[in-house]
Structures are given as C-alpha cells and as structure tokens.
Amino acid sequence: LPRLSEDELIATIFAPLAGPGGLRLEDDAALLKVAVGEELVLTKDMLVAGVHFFADDPPDAIARKALRVNLSDLAAKAAEPRGFLLGLGLPGDWQEDWLKAFAAGLGEDCKSFAISLLGGDTVRTPGPLTLSITAIGAVPEGKMIPRGGAKAGDHLFVTGTIGDAALGLKLRRNAEGDQAWIGSLDETQAAYLRDRYLLPQPRVGLRQALRAYAHAAMDISDGFAGDLAKMLRLAGLTIEIGAGQVPLSEAARAALAAEPQCLSTILTGGDDYEILCAIPPEEKAGFAASAAAAGIKVQEIGMCTPGREPVRIRDAKGELLSFEAGSYQHF
Amino acid sequence: LPRLSEDELIATIFAPLAGPGGLRLEDDAALLKVAVGEELVLTKDMLVAGVHFFADDPPDAIARKALRVNLSDLAAKAAEPRGFLLGLGLPGDWQEDWLKAFAAGLGEDCKSFAISLLGGDTVRTPGPLTLSITAIGAVPEGKMIPRGGAKAGDHLFVTGTIGDAALGLKLRRNAEGDQAWIGSLDETQAAYLRDRYLLPQPRVGLRQALRAYAHAAMDISDGFAGDLAKMLRLAGLTIEIGAGQVPLSEAARAALAAEPQCLSTILTGGDDYEILCAIPPEEKAGFAASAAAAGIKVQEIGMCTPGREPVRIRDAKGELLSFEAGSYQHF
C-alpha cells in the first residue's frame, strides 16, 4: 500500500482534531484569541519511546499520556485547557492503523478535557517514536498559582494517591528483585497499578479550588519527595511529615505490606501527575469542600515552617527516611 | 566529570535565556500576558539530526536553525515574535561544552529577534538529537495574514532568493552526480550556498508590509513549486510563471549555468524560509516601498487567476517544466 504523504496524513488523520484556532491545519500557524482579563499558561513535555513509555503500549494510550502529562501542568497552575500543538517524530516503519488509533485516543481526550489541536509538525526520525506537546491554558489575570508561593504556616495537600505509577512501571518491568511483591498482588491490584502508569489522571477539575484558596501548587511528576523539596526550597520553607500522611491506594498499600522497600519507589518514583498545593490554615475547610465538590480526593500532609534544611520524612517508627535519589532524573 | 542533572542543566544553561514569562524556568509552566487588541500566532517545528540538519553542524547553528524555522512561520503570518518553548531530546553522549555553545547560539538569536525563552523540556533519547520548538507571536486583532486569502488578480511576490539552501545541502552531501557543478563554483559561491542551508534568514522585518498590503502569505519551506501550488489551491486560483521570474542568488545562477538540472533542485528542494505573498495590484508600489524600507528584497513573480488547474512554470524557451516531486516530503 502506498504510504500517506505528510500532507495527506495531516489532512485525513489530524485535521479532524483541530479547533477553530487550528485553521483546519492548512496554514503555517495557529491563531489563538485571548479574552480581556485572561493570561495564558504554557507548558511543554517531550516523551520518547523506551524512556517515557513502552513502544508497544497501545497507541491511543501513548497519545493520551503525552497530552495528559501536559494537562497535569496546566491543572497545577489552575489553568483551563485551551489548545495544544503536537510534534510527532515517526520512525520509518510507522503504520497507518497505528496512527489512526493514536489520533482516535487523542480525539477522545480532546473531548474529555475540552481542548483542541492547534497545530504541530510531523517528521521522520531514525530514532524511536518521539512526541512533543505544547499545551496552552488560560487563567484570569493574576490567578496562575505559582510553584514558589507557599508561606510559613500553610498546610500542604496532595490530590489522589502517590506511588501507583512507579509501582506500575516496576510491574511492567518485572525485574527479579520485584517478583515477590508483584506476585503477592491480586489481578485487580496489579491492573490498577499498571493503568496508573499507562494513563495519568490530570486533576484539571481542581482549578477553581486552587484559584480560590492556594498560595502555591505544582504537579508531582518527578517523585513526591523531590518535588516536595523543590516547592519548599523555592519558598525558603521546610516540612517534616510522616510517611503515613502520604495518600496511598489500596494496591500500593498491598505492595508496601509485601515489601517495605517499596516505600522508596512510592515516594521517589515519579509519574504521579498529582497536585501538591499550599493552603493557608484558615482556608483548609473551604479548599477541602471545593475539591470534594469537583470530585477530587485531597489529603493534608503537614504544615510548612521557615527553614532551609531538607524536607524530612519519617517512617511509622519515627525514623528518618533517606533516599538514594530524591527525585526521578532523566539523565 | 560528573554530568549536570536535568535541574542543574536548566538552571545554569537555559535559565539565563528566560524572559519574564519564563519565571526563571522554576515553575511548571510559563505565563504569557497578551495585550488587549492582540491575538496570538503559534507554530511548532521539529528538527531531527540527520534529517533536518547534520549532527556535526556547529551547535550554535543547530540552535539558531531550530528557532529560525519557527520565526519564519511567524514572519509569514505578520506576527511579532514574543516567546518560545524548547523541547530538547539529548542522546546519551551529550557534552556540556556542546550544550553551552548551543545555548549561546540560541541566546544570540534571542537578542537579534527580540524573543525570549518561556520554558520547555529536556529529556534523554536513545535516538538522534531532536529539537522541538513552539514559537509564539502576536498580531493586532484580525491582522494575521492567512495562507489561503489570495484573490484573483493579486500579484504574487517572493522575498530573498529561492533554491540556495537546497543547493547548499547538495554541496554538503557532494554526491557524484553533483560534483561537476559543485566544482565549477568559486569558494565564495559555495560558502554562500552552504550558509543558506545552515542558517535560514527569517523575514521577520516584513510584518508591517504584510499587515498593510497582503491578502495572503506563507513561508516557503517545502519547495517553491509545491508551496506556490498549496497557496493557490487553497484560494481556488492558479498561475503561470516563467522560471526566470523566480529570484536567484548569483551563486544559484552560477550552479544553474553549470548544470541546467539544478533548476529542479532550486524550484522544489525546500529549506528556503522565504515568504510568498499575494498583493492586490493597486498596492504593489506601497508593498514594495514598505519592504524596501525594512531592507527586504522582494520580487514579483506573476498574477494569479481563477482556476483549479495546477501551477505552470515555463523555462526560458517557454516549455512547461514538470517535477518529479513538486514539494519536499518528509516521508
């Protein structure tokens, strides 16, 4: 079968995902109108097969993950998703069916998250499949929640649960040292963890609660312990928390019960795509109610105090934990 | 020597290029303020070593080319550059010196084109060096010049000269069939063509002339003949031009004199990063004067007329040219 040319591929597979600003993907660029009183929030994440996802993951899941990791950044800034540009580096052996499934997954997430394709670029690469998405959101003027805005006395909250995706990645890899705890999970628990790695759940619904109550917020993507430290360092603050304060799923608790070493993976493994935020004490109830109204589970993990010393996390016996790597590093 | 971590690399090498909206590259996302009465123009180009540039090109030139191909899209839309996000996929053997030179080149172009870094992502890739830039520009409301807006009777103009970069790429490759004409060039001519491939000259200065006079404009990047056809097809128009109307550099004319087959490379080879635009007949003088005031050479190539038939280009003897590929295809 003759391959689609780049122009045909764009016209048949990607143009249907374009919103009004995408100009049917027929122009050199996209056009984005911004309402008076709004500011834009822009983020860009790049994903490479074999580094950020498995090349044999379902194509619709690859597309969704690439979009969702960007939506998670917008969510943490309290921005409403508006549009995105897609850079797609395709290996020489790409198949039309694969690309159609990829676009279908992207299209479903465009609907779910009310975002549309603005443009992009499709190129050939001799390397692995490479995706680069730039996502654009909007906030009312002055309402982007900064990463560094926490104040002494603020209480920190975390959405969802931590560590699932990192455990899910270990499940996928199934290394010898992990097989005991992996074997102890039932199929529902294992599937839950695998799915949390495959398909992040960006907390876009939290934006009203953040705009109304948060001093600071960030997306937890490079490991809870390291990202917590990043937020507090920017603000000249520190915190001491018990590991028991960190919200865990039932599946993660089962893994941890089978293998206590899983705690390090949970707290530093990355790929959580949950939101960490700082809420002043008098606003805790309002924030919790607003998050609950949006259907998003939040858990308080502790109060930050002035100080430059590193974040301390204690285990159930009160002993200070130390991690080989506080944060996932891409290098 | 220990490698810089991703965070250190961003803080030491890229943060100095960040503008106010880049928030010192310390946040999850960038913040872009848009003035009342402005609209944003967004474009994204992805470049892969070995496909869009040579891996052993000077690092500063690689950075500049990646930025400039995006600036060329903004220029064609009459947009003023405002900021960009950089996705950088680094092979495992990256060197700090290489990256510093890359950032230095980027920094110089940030100054030259009055644009600043807003954010991005740096990842490891097992494949070749991969760059993905999203550039953002601004236009007064309603003033983005569309690709498809040409009207019957409009005269088409081209900036600069066509075919230099495609010939420069052939020079770099030095294939056996090209060695006769390559050998006939003097060193100044050869260096000129090589430089045109290495370092595009985005025509950002043309934006006032386009805003004031153009019905349609596009960036010529995938080959003059094919891009010309794309613009006219969108408008339901056609054109017949003489190849002699296409503006050529002295070096390209020398190559063509030595090897008439070079005409196909010149007209379809791509990487020109010049602007094609449609100007109503009564505005030709105004447009030419405005372009001249901006220091940009423009040449009229012909008048478009209603019609769905393909663009025709005739050679000096009046014979109709046909090309194996009307346009550069990435697949």
Side-chain angles (χ1 to χ4, degrees):
Chain A
L1 279 175
R3 278 293 185 77
L4 289 177
S5 72
E6 183 186 4
D7 290 338
E8 290 164 342
L9 185 158
I10 291 167
T12 62
I13 296 185
F14 291 110
L17 307 182
L23 309 170
R24 297 178 300 279
L25 308 187
E26 287 177 347
D27 213 309
D28 300 78
L31 184 64
L32 191 66
K33 295 174 197 288
V34 184
V36 174
E38 277 186 350
E39 294 177 337
L40 293 185
V41 175
L42 298 102
T43 183
K44 183 185 190 73
D45 272 320
M46 205 163 178
L47 292 88
V48 179
V51 180
H52 304 92
F53 59 89
F54 291 86
D56 62 354
D57 281 343
D60 65 304
I62 293 173
R64 288 167 163 204
K65 181 169 188 169
L67 182 58
R68 289 175 180 209
V69 301
N70 283 284
L71 292 176
S72 181
D73 284 320
L74 295 185
K77 304 293 97 185
E80 181 181 79
R82 286 292 164 85
F84 69 102
L85 296 101
L86 169 67
L88 186 58
L90 286 176
D93 62 352
W94 68 274
Q95 299 292 324
E96 210 173 301
D97 283 351
W98 188 97
L99 216 54
K100 282 181 178 164
F102 177 93
L106 206 53
E108 282 184 40
D109 268 10
C110 283
K111 278 186 205 139
S112 307
F113 296 100
I115 192 170
S116 64
L117 183 62
L118 287 170
D121 194 18
T122 307
V123 301
R124 181 171 59 80
T125 177
L129 177 69
T130 303
L131 303 168
S132 172
I133 284 185
T134 301
I136 299 116
V139 285
E141 217 173 311
K143 283 292 182 185
M144 187 189 101
I145 310 300
R147 182 185 284 190
K151 302 204 185 327
D154 281 355
H155 291 243
L156 298 191
F157 284 77
V158 172
T159 61
T161 55
I162 296 297
D164 300 324
L167 294 171
L169 175 58
K170 291 220 164 197
L171 266 160
R172 285 288 296 272
R173 289 194 174 138
N174 200 28
E176 214 171 312
D178 293 314
Q179 288 170 3
W181 68 263
I182 290 172
S184 78
L185 300 180
D186 66 34
E187 189 37 50
T188 309
Q189 293 166 333
Y192 176 81
L193 296 176
R194 271 196 296 263
D195 188 62
R196 288 277 284 160
Y197 173 74
L198 197 63
L199 214 54
Q201 301 295 336
R203 305 303 181 185
V204 291
L206 199 68
R207 65 175 173 270
Q208 298 302 348
L210 291 172
R211 287 179 192 172
Y213 301 108
H215 280 161
M218 76 182 288
D219 151 63
I220 305 174
S221 57
D222 293 341
F224 169 80
D227 284 346
L228 177 64
K230 275 184 203 170
M231 175 187 272
L232 293 174
R233 205 180 301 129
L234 276 176
L237 299 173
T238 189
I239 199 168
E240 177 169 321
I241 64 174
Q245 289 300 106
V246 180
L248 300 188
S249 67
E250 187 264 326
R253 281 197 304 270
L256 191 56
E259 174 49 87
Q261 301 280 346
C262 282
L263 189 59
S264 169
T265 302
I266 289 169
L267 296 178
T268 68
D271 256 341
D272 294 298
Y273 305 107
E274 297 293 352
I275 293 175
L276 173 69
C277 59
I279 308 292
E282 68 277 14
E283 306 287 13
K284 277 165 55 173
F287 173 73
S290 179
I296 295 171
K297 192 172 96 54
V298 295
Q299 180 162 325
E300 190 181 337
I301 57 167
M303 189 182 76
C304 40
T305 56
R308 292 260 160 214
E309 64 267 39
V311 161
R312 282 149 299 159
I313 306 182
R314 293 190 187 275
D315 67 14
K317 297 177 209 144
E319 309 224 351
L320 215 52
L321 295 170
S322 78
F323 306 109
E324 257 179 62
S327 186
Y328 178 76
Q329 287 284 349
H330 296 285
F331 293 88
Chain B
L1 278 175
R3 277 292 183 79
L4 289 178
S5 71
E6 183 186 2
D7 291 337
E8 291 165 341
L9 184 159
I10 291 168
T12 61
I13 296 186
F14 290 110
L17 307 182
L23 309 170
R24 296 178 302 278
L25 309 187
E26 286 177 347
D27 213 309
D28 300 79
L31 184 65
L32 191 67
K33 295 174 196 287
V34 184
V36 174
E38 276 186 351
E39 294 176 337
L40 293 185
V41 174
L42 299 100
T43 183
K44 184 184 190 69
D45 272 320
M46 206 164 180
L47 292 88
V48 179
V51 180
H52 303 93
F53 59 89
F54 291 85
D56 62 355
D57 282 343
D60 65 302
I62 293 173
R64 289 169 163 203
K65 182 169 188 171
L67 182 59
R68 289 176 179 209
V69 300
N70 282 284
L71 293 175
S72 181
D73 284 320
L74 295 185
K77 305 292 98 182
E80 182 181 78
R82 285 293 163 85
F84 69 103
L85 296 101
L86 169 66
L88 186 58
L90 286 176
D93 62 351
W94 67 273
Q95 299 292 324
E96 211 173 301
D97 283 352
W98 188 96
L99 216 55
K100 283 183 177 161
F102 177 92
L106 206 53
E108 284 185 39
D109 268 11
C110 282
K111 278 187 205 139
S112 308
F113 295 101
I115 192 169
S116 64
L117 183 62
L118 287 171
D121 194 18
T122 307
V123 300
R124 180 172 60 80
T125 177
L129 177 70
T130 302
L131 303 167
S132 172
I133 285 184
T134 301
I136 299 116
V139 285
E141 217 173 309
K143 283 293 183 186
M144 187 189 102
I145 310 300
R147 184 186 281 190
K151 301 204 185 329
D154 281 355
H155 290 242
L156 298 190
F157 284 78
V158 172
T159 61
T161 55
I162 296 298
D164 299 325
L167 294 171
L169 175 58
K170 291 220 162 198
L171 266 160
R172 284 289 294 274
R173 289 195 174 137
N174 200 29
E176 213 171 314
D178 292 313
Q179 287 172 1
W181 67 262
I182 290 173
S184 79
L185 301 181
D186 66 35
E187 190 36 49
T188 309
Q189 292 165 335
Y192 176 81
L193 296 176
R194 270 196 296 264
D195 187 63
R196 289 278 284 160
Y197 174 74
L198 195 64
L199 214 55
Q201 302 294 334
R203 305 303 180 184
V204 291
L206 200 67
R207 64 175 174 271
Q208 298 302 349
L210 290 172
R211 287 180 191 172
Y213 302 109
H215 280 161
M218 76 182 289
D219 150 65
I220 305 174
S221 56
D222 293 340
F224 170 80
D227 285 346
L228 177 64
K230 275 184 203 169
M231 174 185 273
L232 293 174
R233 205 180 301 130
L234 276 177
L237 299 172
T238 190
I239 199 168
E240 178 169 320
I241 64 172
Q245 289 300 106
V246 179
L248 300 187
S249 68
E250 188 262 326
R253 281 198 303 271
L256 192 55
E259 174 50 87
Q261 301 280 346
C262 281
L263 189 59
S264 169
T265 301
I266 289 169
L267 295 178
T268 69
D271 256 341
D272 293 298
Y273 304 106
E274 297 291 353
I275 293 175
L276 173 68
C277 59
I279 307 293
E282 67 277 16
E283 305 287 12
K284 279 164 55 174
F287 172 74
S290 180
I296 295 171
K297 190 171 97 55
V298 293
Q299 181 163 325
E300 189 181 338
I301 57 166
M303 188 181 77
C304 39
T305 56
R308 291 263 161 209
E309 64 267 36
V311 160
R312 283 150 297 159
I313 306 182
R314 293 188 185 276
D315 68 13
K317 295 176 210 142
E319 309 222 352
L320 215 52
L321 295 170
S322 77
F323 306 108
E324 257 179 66
S327 186
Y328 178 74
Q329 288 283 348
H330 296 285
F331 293 87

